[in-house]
Amino acid sequence: NIVIFGETGAGKSSSVNLVSGTQTALTSCDATGCTTESNAYDVLIQNETFKLKVKLFDTVGLGEGPEGTVPDKDARRILKKLIRDLMKQTDIHLLMYCVRGVRVTKALCRNYNLIHSEVKERIPIVLV
């Protein structure tokens, strides 16, 4: 199980499509959010020597204002609930934090700390 999270427009859904090799997840070309709830995608990654089944969780974008598709406060609550539920039911193998650009911002740190406080050292978090 891989949970993909980040700010609105950071490329979470595009990452799902890249890993799956298909246009599975809905994407948009502007900065408005098009993912209004967490979506799970079963993906088979394979080559000549191995096959790996993974479940990718595409999440609501963080950082939208109160008038956004999903306001930030709601998006953060939804993401924390998804992570808590997955940790109780099954397991999360990786958290993939999609970020725009290379600058460290307050929002980047705040979002990282939000998730890190939920999972502590139990689940690796990568920035993409």
Side-chain angles (χ1 to χ4, degrees), residues 44-96:
L44 179 64
I45 300 171
Q46 63 182 350
N47 67 16
E48 299 80 35
T49 58
F50 76 92
K51 289 183 181 182
L52 177 64
K53 283 179 157 180
V54 297
K55 186 170 288 225
L56 303 176
F57 291 88
D58 186 14
T59 61
V60 174
L62 302 171
E64 288 200 36
E67 303 301 319
T69 307
V70 178
D72 185 57
K73 184 177 180 181
D74 295 338
R76 294 166 68 82
R77 181 183 41 78
I78 291 167
L79 178 58
K80 285 171 69 171
K81 183 178 181 336
L82 173 67
I83 289 172
R84 286 177 185 157
D85 290 348
L86 287 174
M87 289 174 66
K88 286 179 191 171
Q89 297 169 6
T90 57
D91 202 5
I92 302 172
H93 300 93
L94 181 66
L95 292 161
M96 196 165 105

Short mmCIF file of all heavy atoms in Angstrom, two decimals, residues 44-96:
data_model
loop_
_atom_site.label_atom_id
_atom_site.label_comp_id
_atom_site.label_asym_id
_atom_site.label_seq_id
_atom_site.Cartn_x
_atom_site.Cartn_y
_atom_site.Cartn_z
N LEU A 44 -0.45 -3.36 -11.20
CA LEU A 44 0.52 -4.44 -11.33
C LEU A 44 1.77 -3.87 -11.98
O LEU A 44 1.72 -3.35 -13.10
CB LEU A 44 -0.06 -5.57 -12.18
CG LEU A 44 0.85 -6.77 -12.43
CD1 LEU A 44 1.18 -7.47 -11.11
CD2 LEU A 44 0.20 -7.72 -13.41
N ILE A 45 2.87 -3.93 -11.26
CA ILE A 45 4.16 -3.49 -11.78
C ILE A 45 4.93 -4.75 -12.12
O ILE A 45 5.10 -5.63 -11.26
CB ILE A 45 4.92 -2.65 -10.74
CG1 ILE A 45 4.10 -1.42 -10.36
CG2 ILE A 45 6.29 -2.25 -11.27
CD1 ILE A 45 4.65 -0.63 -9.20
N GLN A 46 5.39 -4.85 -13.36
CA GLN A 46 6.07 -6.09 -13.75
C GLN A 46 7.11 -5.84 -14.84
O GLN A 46 7.06 -4.86 -15.55
CB GLN A 46 5.05 -7.12 -14.24
CG GLN A 46 4.29 -6.72 -15.48
CD GLN A 46 3.26 -7.77 -15.87
OE1 GLN A 46 3.24 -8.87 -15.34
NE2 GLN A 46 2.40 -7.44 -16.80
N ASN A 47 8.05 -6.76 -14.88
CA ASN A 47 8.99 -6.85 -16.00
C ASN A 47 9.24 -8.32 -16.26
O ASN A 47 8.46 -9.17 -15.82
CB ASN A 47 10.26 -6.03 -15.72
CG ASN A 47 11.10 -6.59 -14.59
OD1 ASN A 47 10.94 -7.73 -14.17
ND2 ASN A 47 12.01 -5.78 -14.08
N GLU A 48 10.33 -8.65 -16.90
CA GLU A 48 10.60 -10.06 -17.25
C GLU A 48 10.85 -10.94 -16.02
O GLU A 48 10.63 -12.14 -16.06
CB GLU A 48 11.82 -10.17 -18.17
CG GLU A 48 11.69 -9.45 -19.50
CD GLU A 48 11.97 -7.95 -19.38
OE1 GLU A 48 12.82 -7.53 -18.57
OE2 GLU A 48 11.28 -7.19 -20.09
N THR A 49 11.31 -10.36 -14.93
CA THR A 49 11.72 -11.19 -13.78
C THR A 49 10.81 -11.13 -12.56
O THR A 49 10.93 -11.96 -11.68
CB THR A 49 13.15 -10.80 -13.34
OG1 THR A 49 13.17 -9.41 -13.00
CG2 THR A 49 14.16 -11.09 -14.43
N PHE A 50 9.92 -10.15 -12.49
CA PHE A 50 9.07 -10.09 -11.30
C PHE A 50 7.73 -9.42 -11.60
O PHE A 50 7.59 -8.67 -12.56
CB PHE A 50 9.76 -9.38 -10.13
CG PHE A 50 9.81 -7.88 -10.27
CD1 PHE A 50 8.80 -7.09 -9.73
CD2 PHE A 50 10.85 -7.26 -10.93
CE1 PHE A 50 8.84 -5.70 -9.86
CE2 PHE A 50 10.90 -5.90 -11.06
CZ PHE A 50 9.90 -5.11 -10.53
N LYS A 51 6.78 -9.71 -10.72
CA LYS A 51 5.48 -9.06 -10.74
C LYS A 51 5.20 -8.56 -9.32
O LYS A 51 5.42 -9.29 -8.37
CB LYS A 51 4.38 -10.03 -11.14
CG LYS A 51 4.40 -10.44 -12.58
CD LYS A 51 3.22 -11.35 -12.89
CE LYS A 51 3.27 -11.77 -14.34
NZ LYS A 51 2.12 -12.60 -14.70
N LEU A 52 4.71 -7.36 -9.22
CA LEU A 52 4.42 -6.78 -7.91
C LEU A 52 3.06 -6.09 -7.97
O LEU A 52 2.85 -5.19 -8.78
CB LEU A 52 5.51 -5.77 -7.53
CG LEU A 52 5.32 -5.03 -6.21
CD1 LEU A 52 5.37 -5.99 -5.03
CD2 LEU A 52 6.38 -3.94 -6.07
N LYS A 53 2.14 -6.55 -7.12
CA LYS A 53 0.84 -5.90 -7.00
C LYS A 53 0.93 -4.83 -5.93
O LYS A 53 1.37 -5.12 -4.82
CB LYS A 53 -0.23 -6.91 -6.60
CG LYS A 53 -0.70 -7.80 -7.69
CD LYS A 53 -1.74 -8.75 -7.12
CE LYS A 53 -2.63 -9.27 -8.18
NZ LYS A 53 -3.64 -10.19 -7.61
N VAL A 54 0.53 -3.62 -6.26
CA VAL A 54 0.51 -2.54 -5.29
C VAL A 54 -0.85 -1.86 -5.33
O VAL A 54 -1.55 -1.89 -6.34
CB VAL A 54 1.63 -1.50 -5.52
CG1 VAL A 54 2.99 -2.09 -5.36
CG2 VAL A 54 1.49 -0.83 -6.86
N LYS A 55 -1.20 -1.26 -4.23
CA LYS A 55 -2.41 -0.44 -4.16
C LYS A 55 -1.95 0.98 -3.91
O LYS A 55 -1.28 1.25 -2.93
CB LYS A 55 -3.34 -0.92 -3.06
CG LYS A 55 -4.68 -0.18 -3.06
CD LYS A 55 -5.67 -0.82 -2.13
CE LYS A 55 -6.12 -2.12 -2.72
NZ LYS A 55 -7.54 -2.38 -2.68
N LEU A 56 -2.29 1.86 -4.85
CA LEU A 56 -1.95 3.27 -4.74
C LEU A 56 -3.17 4.03 -4.25
O LEU A 56 -4.26 3.87 -4.80
CB LEU A 56 -1.51 3.83 -6.10
CG LEU A 56 -0.34 3.14 -6.79
CD1 LEU A 56 -0.12 3.76 -8.16
CD2 LEU A 56 0.91 3.26 -5.95
N PHE A 57 -2.99 4.85 -3.24
CA PHE A 57 -4.07 5.69 -2.71
C PHE A 57 -3.79 7.13 -3.12
O PHE A 57 -2.83 7.74 -2.66
CB PHE A 57 -4.15 5.56 -1.19
CG PHE A 57 -4.61 4.22 -0.73
CD1 PHE A 57 -3.71 3.19 -0.52
CD2 PHE A 57 -5.96 3.97 -0.52
CE1 PHE A 57 -4.14 1.94 -0.11
CE2 PHE A 57 -6.41 2.73 -0.10
CZ PHE A 57 -5.49 1.71 0.10
N ASP A 58 -4.63 7.64 -4.01
CA ASP A 58 -4.56 9.02 -4.47
C ASP A 58 -5.44 9.85 -3.53
O ASP A 58 -6.62 9.53 -3.34
CB ASP A 58 -5.08 9.09 -5.91
CG ASP A 58 -4.92 10.45 -6.54
OD1 ASP A 58 -4.18 11.29 -6.00
OD2 ASP A 58 -5.55 10.68 -7.60
N THR A 59 -4.89 10.88 -2.93
CA THR A 59 -5.61 11.61 -1.88
C THR A 59 -5.98 13.02 -2.33
O THR A 59 -5.45 13.55 -3.31
CB THR A 59 -4.76 11.69 -0.60
OG1 THR A 59 -3.55 12.40 -0.88
CG2 THR A 59 -4.43 10.30 -0.07
N VAL A 60 -6.88 13.61 -1.58
CA VAL A 60 -7.32 14.99 -1.80
C VAL A 60 -6.13 15.94 -1.60
O VAL A 60 -5.32 15.73 -0.70
CB VAL A 60 -8.45 15.33 -0.80
CG1 VAL A 60 -8.85 16.77 -0.89
CG2 VAL A 60 -9.64 14.42 -1.03
N GLY A 61 -6.06 16.97 -2.42
CA GLY A 61 -4.97 17.93 -2.32
C GLY A 61 -5.05 18.79 -1.07
O GLY A 61 -6.13 19.21 -0.66
N LEU A 62 -3.90 19.04 -0.49
CA LEU A 62 -3.79 19.90 0.69
C LEU A 62 -3.58 21.34 0.25
O LEU A 62 -3.12 21.60 -0.87
CB LEU A 62 -2.62 19.44 1.56
CG LEU A 62 -2.67 18.00 2.05
CD1 LEU A 62 -1.35 17.62 2.72
CD2 LEU A 62 -3.83 17.80 2.99
N GLY A 63 -3.90 22.28 1.12
CA GLY A 63 -3.53 23.67 0.90
C GLY A 63 -4.54 24.53 0.17
O GLY A 63 -4.24 25.69 -0.13
N GLU A 64 -5.72 24.00 -0.14
CA GLU A 64 -6.72 24.85 -0.78
C GLU A 64 -7.38 25.74 0.25
O GLU A 64 -7.55 25.36 1.40
CB GLU A 64 -7.78 24.01 -1.49
CG GLU A 64 -7.25 23.34 -2.73
CD GLU A 64 -8.36 22.92 -3.67
OE1 GLU A 64 -9.37 23.63 -3.79
OE2 GLU A 64 -8.20 21.87 -4.29
N GLY A 65 -7.78 26.91 -0.15
CA GLY A 65 -8.47 27.84 0.74
C GLY A 65 -9.88 27.37 1.04
O GLY A 65 -10.33 26.34 0.53
N PRO A 66 -10.61 28.11 1.86
CA PRO A 66 -11.96 27.71 2.26
C PRO A 66 -12.92 27.59 1.07
O PRO A 66 -13.92 26.88 1.15
CB PRO A 66 -12.42 28.82 3.21
CG PRO A 66 -11.31 29.76 3.35
CD PRO A 66 -10.17 29.33 2.49
N GLU A 67 -12.63 28.25 -0.03
CA GLU A 67 -13.50 28.19 -1.22
C GLU A 67 -13.02 27.14 -2.21
O GLU A 67 -13.60 27.00 -3.29
CB GLU A 67 -13.53 29.56 -1.91
CG GLU A 67 -13.99 30.70 -1.01
CD GLU A 67 -15.38 30.47 -0.44
OE1 GLU A 67 -16.26 30.00 -1.18
OE2 GLU A 67 -15.57 30.77 0.76
N GLY A 68 -11.99 26.37 -1.88
CA GLY A 68 -11.45 25.38 -2.80
C GLY A 68 -12.36 24.17 -2.96
O GLY A 68 -13.38 24.04 -2.29
N THR A 69 -11.98 23.26 -3.85
CA THR A 69 -12.74 22.05 -4.09
C THR A 69 -12.94 21.30 -2.79
O THR A 69 -14.04 20.89 -2.45
CB THR A 69 -12.01 21.15 -5.11
OG1 THR A 69 -11.73 21.92 -6.28
CG2 THR A 69 -12.85 19.95 -5.48
N VAL A 70 -11.85 21.10 -2.06
CA VAL A 70 -11.90 20.53 -0.70
C VAL A 70 -11.02 21.44 0.16
O VAL A 70 -9.81 21.45 0.00
CB VAL A 70 -11.38 19.07 -0.66
CG1 VAL A 70 -11.41 18.54 0.76
CG2 VAL A 70 -12.18 18.17 -1.59
N PRO A 71 -11.63 22.21 1.06
CA PRO A 71 -10.84 23.12 1.90
C PRO A 71 -9.74 22.37 2.67
O PRO A 71 -9.90 21.21 3.03
CB PRO A 71 -11.89 23.71 2.85
CG PRO A 71 -13.18 23.59 2.11
CD PRO A 71 -13.06 22.31 1.32
N ASP A 72 -8.63 23.06 2.91
CA ASP A 72 -7.47 22.45 3.54
C ASP A 72 -7.79 21.74 4.85
O ASP A 72 -7.32 20.62 5.08
CB ASP A 72 -6.38 23.51 3.78
CG ASP A 72 -5.10 22.89 4.32
OD1 ASP A 72 -4.56 21.99 3.65
OD2 ASP A 72 -4.66 23.30 5.40
N LYS A 73 -8.60 22.34 5.68
CA LYS A 73 -8.94 21.73 6.97
C LYS A 73 -9.60 20.36 6.76
O LYS A 73 -9.27 19.39 7.43
CB LYS A 73 -9.87 22.66 7.75
CG LYS A 73 -10.22 22.18 9.14
CD LYS A 73 -11.09 23.21 9.86
CE LYS A 73 -11.44 22.72 11.25
NZ LYS A 73 -12.29 23.67 11.96
N ASP A 74 -10.51 20.28 5.80
CA ASP A 74 -11.18 19.01 5.49
C ASP A 74 -10.20 18.01 4.87
O ASP A 74 -10.22 16.82 5.19
CB ASP A 74 -12.36 19.23 4.55
CG ASP A 74 -13.46 20.06 5.19
OD1 ASP A 74 -13.54 20.11 6.43
OD2 ASP A 74 -14.25 20.66 4.43
N ALA A 75 -9.36 18.49 3.97
CA ALA A 75 -8.40 17.62 3.30
C ALA A 75 -7.43 16.98 4.31
O ALA A 75 -7.12 15.79 4.23
CB ALA A 75 -7.62 18.40 2.24
N ARG A 76 -6.97 17.77 5.26
CA ARG A 76 -6.05 17.26 6.29
C ARG A 76 -6.75 16.20 7.15
O ARG A 76 -6.17 15.16 7.47
CB ARG A 76 -5.54 18.41 7.16
CG ARG A 76 -4.66 19.37 6.36
CD ARG A 76 -4.42 20.69 7.09
NE ARG A 76 -3.60 20.55 8.27
CZ ARG A 76 -2.28 20.51 8.27
NH1 ARG A 76 -1.62 20.59 7.13
NH2 ARG A 76 -1.61 20.40 9.39
N ARG A 77 -8.01 16.45 7.51
CA ARG A 77 -8.78 15.49 8.31
C ARG A 77 -8.98 14.19 7.53
O ARG A 77 -8.79 13.10 8.07
CB ARG A 77 -10.14 16.11 8.69
CG ARG A 77 -11.01 15.22 9.55
CD ARG A 77 -12.38 15.84 9.84
NE ARG A 77 -13.01 16.53 8.72
CZ ARG A 77 -13.63 15.91 7.71
NH1 ARG A 77 -13.70 14.61 7.68
NH2 ARG A 77 -14.19 16.61 6.75
N ILE A 78 -9.33 14.29 6.25
CA ILE A 78 -9.55 13.11 5.40
C ILE A 78 -8.26 12.29 5.29
O ILE A 78 -8.28 11.07 5.39
CB ILE A 78 -10.07 13.54 4.01
CG1 ILE A 78 -11.48 14.10 4.13
CG2 ILE A 78 -10.02 12.39 3.03
CD1 ILE A 78 -11.97 14.85 2.89
N LEU A 79 -7.14 12.96 5.08
CA LEU A 79 -5.86 12.27 4.93
C LEU A 79 -5.47 11.56 6.23
O LEU A 79 -5.06 10.39 6.20
CB LEU A 79 -4.77 13.26 4.52
CG LEU A 79 -3.37 12.69 4.37
CD1 LEU A 79 -3.32 11.56 3.35
CD2 LEU A 79 -2.39 13.80 3.98
N LYS A 80 -5.59 12.24 7.35
CA LYS A 80 -5.25 11.61 8.63
C LYS A 80 -6.13 10.39 8.90
O LYS A 80 -5.65 9.36 9.36
CB LYS A 80 -5.38 12.63 9.77
CG LYS A 80 -4.24 13.63 9.80
CD LYS A 80 -4.47 14.75 10.77
CE LYS A 80 -4.42 14.32 12.20
NZ LYS A 80 -4.42 15.45 13.15
N LYS A 81 -7.42 10.49 8.58
CA LYS A 81 -8.33 9.36 8.78
C LYS A 81 -7.94 8.19 7.89
O LYS A 81 -7.92 7.04 8.34
CB LYS A 81 -9.77 9.79 8.51
CG LYS A 81 -10.78 8.67 8.77
CD LYS A 81 -12.19 9.13 8.54
CE LYS A 81 -13.25 8.10 8.79
NZ LYS A 81 -12.91 6.70 8.70
N LEU A 82 -7.62 8.45 6.64
CA LEU A 82 -7.19 7.38 5.73
C LEU A 82 -5.97 6.66 6.28
O LEU A 82 -5.93 5.43 6.34
CB LEU A 82 -6.88 7.94 4.34
CG LEU A 82 -6.26 6.95 3.36
CD1 LEU A 82 -7.25 5.85 2.98
CD2 LEU A 82 -5.74 7.67 2.11
N ILE A 83 -4.99 7.43 6.73
CA ILE A 83 -3.75 6.82 7.25
C ILE A 83 -4.04 6.01 8.51
O ILE A 83 -3.58 4.88 8.65
CB ILE A 83 -2.68 7.91 7.49
CG1 ILE A 83 -2.19 8.41 6.13
CG2 ILE A 83 -1.53 7.37 8.33
CD1 ILE A 83 -1.28 9.60 6.20
N ARG A 84 -4.83 6.56 9.40
CA ARG A 84 -5.18 5.82 10.63
C ARG A 84 -5.93 4.53 10.30
O ARG A 84 -5.63 3.47 10.87
CB ARG A 84 -6.02 6.69 11.55
CG ARG A 84 -5.23 7.77 12.24
CD ARG A 84 -6.12 8.65 13.09
NE ARG A 84 -5.36 9.76 13.65
CZ ARG A 84 -5.90 10.89 14.04
NH1 ARG A 84 -7.20 11.08 13.96
NH2 ARG A 84 -5.15 11.84 14.55
N ASP A 85 -6.92 4.62 9.41
CA ASP A 85 -7.70 3.44 9.05
C ASP A 85 -6.82 2.37 8.40
O ASP A 85 -6.94 1.18 8.72
CB ASP A 85 -8.85 3.81 8.10
CG ASP A 85 -9.94 4.60 8.79
OD1 ASP A 85 -9.94 4.69 10.05
OD2 ASP A 85 -10.81 5.16 8.07
N LEU A 86 -5.95 2.77 7.49
CA LEU A 86 -5.07 1.80 6.83
C LEU A 86 -4.10 1.16 7.81
O LEU A 86 -3.80 -0.03 7.72
CB LEU A 86 -4.30 2.46 5.68
CG LEU A 86 -5.11 2.79 4.44
CD1 LEU A 86 -4.26 3.58 3.45
CD2 LEU A 86 -5.64 1.53 3.79
N MET A 87 -3.61 1.94 8.77
CA MET A 87 -2.68 1.39 9.75
C MET A 87 -3.38 0.38 10.66
O MET A 87 -2.75 -0.58 11.11
CB MET A 87 -2.03 2.51 10.57
CG MET A 87 -1.03 3.31 9.75
SD MET A 87 -0.37 4.75 10.61
CE MET A 87 0.55 3.99 11.93
N LYS A 88 -4.67 0.56 10.90
CA LYS A 88 -5.43 -0.39 11.72
C LYS A 88 -5.78 -1.64 10.93
O LYS A 88 -5.69 -2.75 11.44
CB LYS A 88 -6.72 0.25 12.22
CG LYS A 88 -6.54 1.25 13.32
CD LYS A 88 -7.89 1.84 13.71
CE LYS A 88 -7.73 3.04 14.61
NZ LYS A 88 -9.01 3.73 14.82
N GLN A 89 -6.22 -1.48 9.69
CA GLN A 89 -6.74 -2.58 8.88
C GLN A 89 -5.64 -3.43 8.27
O GLN A 89 -5.69 -4.65 8.34
CB GLN A 89 -7.62 -2.05 7.76
CG GLN A 89 -8.85 -1.33 8.23
CD GLN A 89 -9.54 -0.58 7.10
OE1 GLN A 89 -9.16 -0.69 5.95
NE2 GLN A 89 -10.54 0.19 7.46
N THR A 90 -4.73 -2.79 7.59
CA THR A 90 -3.70 -3.53 6.86
C THR A 90 -2.35 -2.95 7.22
O THR A 90 -1.94 -3.00 8.35
CB THR A 90 -3.94 -3.44 5.33
OG1 THR A 90 -3.98 -2.08 4.95
CG2 THR A 90 -5.23 -4.12 4.93
N ASP A 91 -1.72 -2.40 6.25
CA ASP A 91 -0.42 -1.80 6.48
C ASP A 91 -0.16 -0.78 5.38
O ASP A 91 -0.70 -0.89 4.28
CB ASP A 91 0.67 -2.87 6.46
CG ASP A 91 1.92 -2.44 7.20
OD1 ASP A 91 1.92 -1.36 7.81
OD2 ASP A 91 2.91 -3.19 7.16
N ILE A 92 0.63 0.20 5.68
CA ILE A 92 1.10 1.15 4.68
C ILE A 92 2.59 0.88 4.53
O ILE A 92 3.33 0.84 5.51
CB ILE A 92 0.87 2.61 5.12
CG1 ILE A 92 -0.61 2.87 5.39
CG2 ILE A 92 1.40 3.56 4.05
CD1 ILE A 92 -0.89 4.24 6.01
N HIS A 93 3.02 0.70 3.30
CA HIS A 93 4.43 0.39 3.07
C HIS A 93 5.25 1.62 2.73
O HIS A 93 6.46 1.64 2.94
CB HIS A 93 4.53 -0.64 1.95
CG HIS A 93 3.82 -1.91 2.28
ND1 HIS A 93 2.52 -2.15 1.92
CD2 HIS A 93 4.20 -2.97 3.01
CE1 HIS A 93 2.13 -3.32 2.38
NE2 HIS A 93 3.14 -3.84 3.05
N LEU A 94 4.57 2.65 2.19
CA LEU A 94 5.29 3.85 1.79
C LEU A 94 4.32 5.03 1.73
O LEU A 94 3.18 4.88 1.29
CB LEU A 94 5.92 3.64 0.39
CG LEU A 94 6.73 4.79 -0.19
CD1 LEU A 94 8.00 5.02 0.64
CD2 LEU A 94 7.10 4.49 -1.63
N LEU A 95 4.80 6.19 2.15
CA LEU A 95 4.08 7.44 1.99
C LEU A 95 4.85 8.27 0.97
O LEU A 95 6.05 8.51 1.15
CB LEU A 95 3.97 8.20 3.31
CG LEU A 95 3.07 7.53 4.35
CD1 LEU A 95 3.36 8.05 5.73
CD2 LEU A 95 1.61 7.75 3.98
N MET A 96 4.20 8.66 -0.10
CA MET A 96 4.84 9.41 -1.17
C MET A 96 4.31 10.84 -1.13
O MET A 96 3.13 11.07 -1.38
CB MET A 96 4.51 8.74 -2.51
CG MET A 96 5.37 9.17 -3.63
SD MET A 96 5.21 8.01 -5.01
CE MET A 96 4.20 8.98 -6.10
#
